[in-house]
Amino acid sequence: QVQLQESGPGLVKPSETLSLICSVSGGSVNSGSHYWNWIRQSPGKGLEWIGYVFYSGSISYSPSLKSRVTISVDTSMNQFSLKLSSVTAADTAVYFCARDRRNKTVGFHYGMDVWGHGTTVIVSS
Amino acid sequence: DIQLTQSPSSLAAFVGDRVTITCRASQNIKNYLNWYQQKSGKGPELLISLGSNLESGVPSRFSGSGSGTEFTLTISSLQPEDIATFYCQQSHSTPWTFGQGTKVEIK
């Protein structure tokens, strides 16, 4: 079955850029039925959607993070990535990648059915 | 953005009790509402999609209902392994948004 695995530095300095990769195994990012998402969870808090990418490169970002976020897909490596610039302590969180299903015919989305285990990123000098 | 408000924020119930969690949307989202369970230290797991579709492998004691702006997740008979935080999420329009979560504990 499809598995997702986040990777990247666990510690980032303030004002620098957070970079994470989500590796996809058991399936392909080229799937026309799935979008590839990043979600984060600050300590003791709820889930915050960051954005998604489609294999074609189509993207959507959270308006609150849009000015600092870049999500991209690398079909040759079967992975997708997150870059978040100018980080502050408020960006300290567990970052999850997740697969989001989309009905090809009608176009609606219907839930994130595969999640990575999450990776903790601390922003500190 | 579409706001989702869950209630209650936490609850404690006995094993075997029926548990109900509500999720209200700030606008009509038809049935584009999904429910997740997150156990401590783990990533979320999709339980129910499109308001009422039980995902494969999810115990039948979980059910979802509702449409428009009001949705419900029900656990018909609470089990010890159900201890977790439950989140609703709308997939009607981006940005996807989540409810603030409902923490379920055993009395």
Side-chain angles (χ1 to χ4, degrees), chain A residues 11-32:
Chain A
L11 181 64
V12 182
K13 289 183 168 52
S15 80
E16 295 190 344
T17 295
L18 177 162
S19 295
L20 297 174
I21 288 172
C22 181
S23 300
V24 180
S25 59
S28 172
V29 293
N30 277 327
S31 166

Side-chain angles (χ1 to χ4, degrees), chain B residues 17 32-33 80 82:
Chain B
D17 278 355
Y32 297 119
L33 193 284
D82 299 336

Side-chain angles (χ1 to χ4, degrees), chain A residues 2 4 31-37 39 49 52-54 98-115, chain B residues 31-36 45-58 89-92 94 96:
Chain A
V2 176
L4 306 181
S31 166
S33 299
H34 299 103
Y35 282 60
W36 306 94
N37 292 249
I39 299 98
W49 181 73
Y52 68 46
V53 64
F54 191 49
R99 185 180 80 167
D100 177 10
R101 300 174 306 187
R102 175 179 172 267
N103 179 285
K104 272 181 161 177
T105 305
V106 183
F108 60 82
H109 292 246
Y110 59 109
M112 291 179 254
D113 65 334
V114 181
W115 292 67
Chain B
N31 67 334
Y32 297 119
L33 193 284
N34 311 301
W35 289 98
Y36 301 85
E45 176 189 352
L46 179 64
L47 298 177
I48 289 168
S49 60
L50 295 176
S52 61
N53 291 344
L54 192 69
E55 290 292 309
S56 175
V58 175
Q89 176 248 333
Q90 62 83 19
S91 54
H92 177 273
T94 57
W96 301 153

Side-chain angles (χ1 to χ4, degrees), chain A residues 46-103:
Chain A
L47 300 164
E48 179 184 17
W49 181 73
I50 299 171
Y52 68 46
V53 64
F54 191 49
Y55 79 96
S56 63
S58 174
I59 52 173
S60 180
Y61 298 144
S62 168
S64 65
L65 296 170
K66 187 173 184 177
S67 63
R68 299 193 291 130
V69 170
T70 302
I71 297 175
S72 59
V73 62
D74 186 336
T75 55
S76 66
M77 297 291 289
N78 210 34
Q79 62 188 30
F80 60 106
S81 64
L82 167 70
K83 292 187 187 300
L84 181 66
S85 64
S86 305
V87 297
T88 69
D91 295 309
T92 293
V94 177
Y95 286 76
F96 296 97
C97 55
R99 185 180 80 167
D100 177 10
R101 300 174 306 187
R102 175 179 172 267
N103 179 285

Side-chain angles (χ1 to χ4, degrees), chain B residues 2-17:
Chain B
I2 296 172
Q3 310 301 319
L4 297 179
T5 304
Q6 284 182 238
S7 61
S9 55
S10 65
L11 67 89
F14 292 103
V15 171
D17 278 355

